[in-house]
Amino acid sequence: MAASLKGVSLKSWPDIYLPPIGEVNFPVLKLNDSNRGLVEVATGKEFRLYVCGITPYDSTHLGHAATYLAFDLVNRYQRLSNRKVTFVENVTDIDDPLLERAKRDNQEWSVLANSQIELFQSDMSALRIIPPEKFVKVTDSMELIESFIGKLEKNGYLYQVDGDFYFSCADFLSSLPQSLNDSIRIFAERGGDPTREGKKHPLDPLVWSANVIGEPGWQSKYGYGRPGWHVECTAIACEYLDNEGTNPVIDIQGGGSDLIFPHHFMSAQIVKAALGRDFSDNYIHAAMIAFDGEKMSKSKGNLVFVSSLIKQGIDPMVIRWALLSGHFQQDREWNSKLLETAQSEVSLVRSSLARSEVFHAQSLVNDLITAISNNLDTPSALKLLVEWAKASHVNPSSNDAGLVSRAIDSLLGLAL
Ligand code: ZN
């Protein structure tokens, strides 16, 4: 394997302009934190957002899209509130499922990963997701991951089992989000190895695994091998977001609700052990998307891909509208009816925006902002917009169409 690199970030995708909305007030954003409930987030001038990225072998299904869309709304809101946003996202481009898929399809793993990363970038661009400042591949981050593992070692939280290195998490288990037995069960279901002999605690996660013959590896102080998942994210997040030694290091760690445990829990404990500080002020999670009654998942083979919908001729703004029509923290279903409704509502709003006179809109804009500030209440925001569009046909009384167009573009990412 080529020499590992430090501090490299991929080109993400073209930046997105947020049109100004004018003199409006942005209340502090409130989000439902998985540990703390509804809280005001990031009230300071700087806002540091880390969202866990894809493993590039099945991008981008609607579950991914819904998650990145939710954090895009957070990003937009914080920018419009005049906060300096730094947004970092990783790409887990070396992982067991990626290697398994490459083997199944008789493809070089890195070729598969790169092609899926490209697809992800074009899907994100089509959906008008603001790109991260740093979009970072794990395979470009081996040196900084190695050096982060060194901090765990220095502080006495690293041990070895037959050439593999584990993080000793026993000191940090008082805040487990469920019982120990349930934690062990979920840990095993999500790739952990609780029964491995020689481990100090069943929940200790791998931070560096020795190379398996035939698999890719990287040279490191911990031998030839590759890093574990949790330490990758913490190393990348701390490298690019920990500028000032603040506590906590970042404002939000985000991802899908399947990352609550063990991934985000372990990320928090690893940072505490390595730096002696809290990792993130908030842990925000987006719910799952089902398809025709079943959870969308790789194992069920019922994934719906953004790129296939676009290829079928569906307007990405209709996909965006359809995903926003449900609340980001409500497990919900994707089906053809949802898409049809989104199509007709988008057409209705477009036809109103094209009129020379529309219903007055200053209070609409304020109400949209209030809805988004309240834990990203997009279902209410879209309802308000539909009501306004209907009223514009019945009672046109102002030339506010441009204002609405700019507001929904900036706030909701809907360029209609
Ligand atoms: Zn992560």
Side-chain angles (χ1 to χ4, degrees):
M1 201 46 52
S4 51
L5 301 162
K6 184 177 194 291
V8 177
S9 106
L10 284 169
K11 242 192 211 137
S12 34
W13 50 90
D15 203 3
I16 285 170
Y17 171 69
L18 301 190
I21 308 182
E23 287 301 306
V24 278
N25 176 42
F26 283 85
V28 173
L29 179 63
K30 290 195 292 293
L31 292 174
N32 180 36
D33 178 299
S34 298
N35 300 329
R36 299 160 58 199
L38 193 65
V39 287
E40 291 190 340
V41 299
T43 52
K45 269 197 153 12
E46 306 244 335
F47 175 65
R48 291 154 304 171
L49 172 65
Y50 183 85
V51 180
C52 289
I54 55 160
T55 299
Y57 66 100
D58 65 352
S59 60
T60 311
H61 64 68
L62 288 170
H64 293 139
T67 296
Y68 297 113
L69 183 49
F71 293 100
D72 183 58
L73 294 186
V74 172
N75 188 349
R76 285 169 182 274
Y77 194 91
Q78 297 295 64
R79 279 166 201 263
L80 291 168
S81 310
N82 284 324
R83 295 200 163 80
K84 185 180 173 296
V85 178
T86 315
F87 167 31
V88 177
E89 183 175 320
N90 71 307
V91 182
T92 311
D93 62 333
I94 181 69
D95 202 3
D96 291 337
L98 170 69
L99 296 176
E100 283 157 20
R101 175 64 60 89
K103 200 169 172 189
R104 189 199 77 178
D105 296 351
N106 202 15
Q107 206 177 3
E108 180 67 30
W109 67 274
S110 55
V111 172
L112 171 64
N114 287 332
S115 69
Q116 291 292 303
I117 291 168
E118 265 176 42
L119 191 57
F120 178 74
Q121 289 164 315
S122 73
D123 290 342
M124 290 296 102
S125 188
L127 290 174
R128 295 179 60 78
I129 308 274
I130 296 177
E133 273 68 38
K134 299 281 179 192
F135 184 51
V136 188
K137 277 169 139 179
V138 166
T139 57
D140 286 339
S141 311
M142 291 302 171
E143 281 184 22
L144 63 95
I145 295 168
E146 180 187 8
S147 112
F148 198 88
I149 295 173
K151 295 182 171 97
L152 294 174
E153 183 180 21
K154 183 168 162 265
N155 293 347
Y157 291 106
L158 192 73
Y159 68 94
Q160 206 184 143
V161 180
D162 298 333
D164 295 326
F165 287 82
Y166 283 88
F167 165 58
S168 176
C169 70
D171 287 0
F172 304 99
L173 295 181
S174 59
S175 54
L176 275 175
Q178 59 273 311
S179 72
L180 181 60
N181 279 344
D182 284 346
S183 298
I184 291 172
R185 177 180 54 77
I186 300 168
F187 182 72
E189 285 167 6
R190 297 190 173 155
D193 55 356
T195 55
R196 179 165 186 188
E197 275 197 32
K199 281 176 66 171
K200 291 184 181 168
H201 191 284
L203 288 178
D204 290 345
L206 255 179
V207 292
W208 189 268
S209 58
N211 186 244
V212 173
I213 293 171
E215 289 190 358
W218 287 261
Q219 208 57 255
S220 86
K221 200 181 151 189
Y222 306 101
Y224 187 66
R226 59 183 163 103
W229 179 29
H230 315 309
V231 80
E232 292 167 1
C233 273
T234 53
I236 290 171
C238 292
E239 171 75 12
Y240 296 104
L241 290 165
D242 185 19
N243 294 329
E244 309 140 46
T246 53
N247 187 26
V249 178
I250 66 172
D251 295 294
I252 289 182
Q253 184 180 28
S257 58
D258 52 347
L259 300 188
I260 295 174
F261 190 86
H263 186 51
H264 286 183
F265 177 82
M266 286 301 173
S267 304
Q269 315 319 318
I270 285 173
V271 171
K272 213 173 275 174
L275 306 182
R277 287 186 279 141
D278 292 327
F279 179 33
S280 185
D281 198 18
N282 300 286
Y283 294 88
I284 309 293
H285 297 101
M288 298 284 121
I289 304 280
F291 179 58
D292 280 342
E294 282 205 89
K295 188 193 157 194
M296 220 181 267
S297 75
K298 298 175 269 279
S299 50
K300 295 211 174 80
N302 65 346
L303 302 176
V304 179
F305 294 96
V306 172
S307 53
S308 336
L309 293 173
I310 294 174
K311 237 182 247 161
Q312 288 163 33
I314 295 163
D315 177 350
M317 288 300 99
V318 170
I319 301 172
R320 188 163 173 126
W321 183 290
L323 289 169
L324 292 177
S325 67
H327 190 267
F328 87 106
Q329 286 182 322
Q330 187 93 56
D331 285 336
R332 58 202 191 277
E333 174 141 348
W334 180 269
N335 52 40
S336 53
K337 176 134 193 326
L338 184 71
L339 203 52
E340 281 163 29
T341 307
Q343 190 94 58
S344 77
E345 290 178 340
V346 164
S347 299
L348 172 69
V349 174
R350 273 199 177 125
S351 72
S352 297
L353 291 173
R355 296 176 67 99
S356 54
E357 288 219 311
V358 293
F359 192 65
H360 66 85
Q362 194 57 56
S363 63
L364 168 74
V365 170
N366 289 327
D367 291 347
L368 291 176
I369 291 169
T370 305
I372 299 306
S373 75
N374 183 22
N375 198 29
L376 311 181
D377 184 2
T378 55
S380 297
L382 296 194
K383 269 187 207 129
L384 289 166
L385 205 46
V386 167
E387 288 311 311
W388 170 85
K390 286 179 181 162
S392 292
H393 285 275
V394 180
N395 187 10
S397 52
S398 80
N399 58 0
D400 284 346
L403 171 66
V404 175
S405 176
R406 290 192 302 278
I408 64 174
D409 188 348
S410 281
L411 193 64
L412 299 168
L414 290 166
L416 302 184

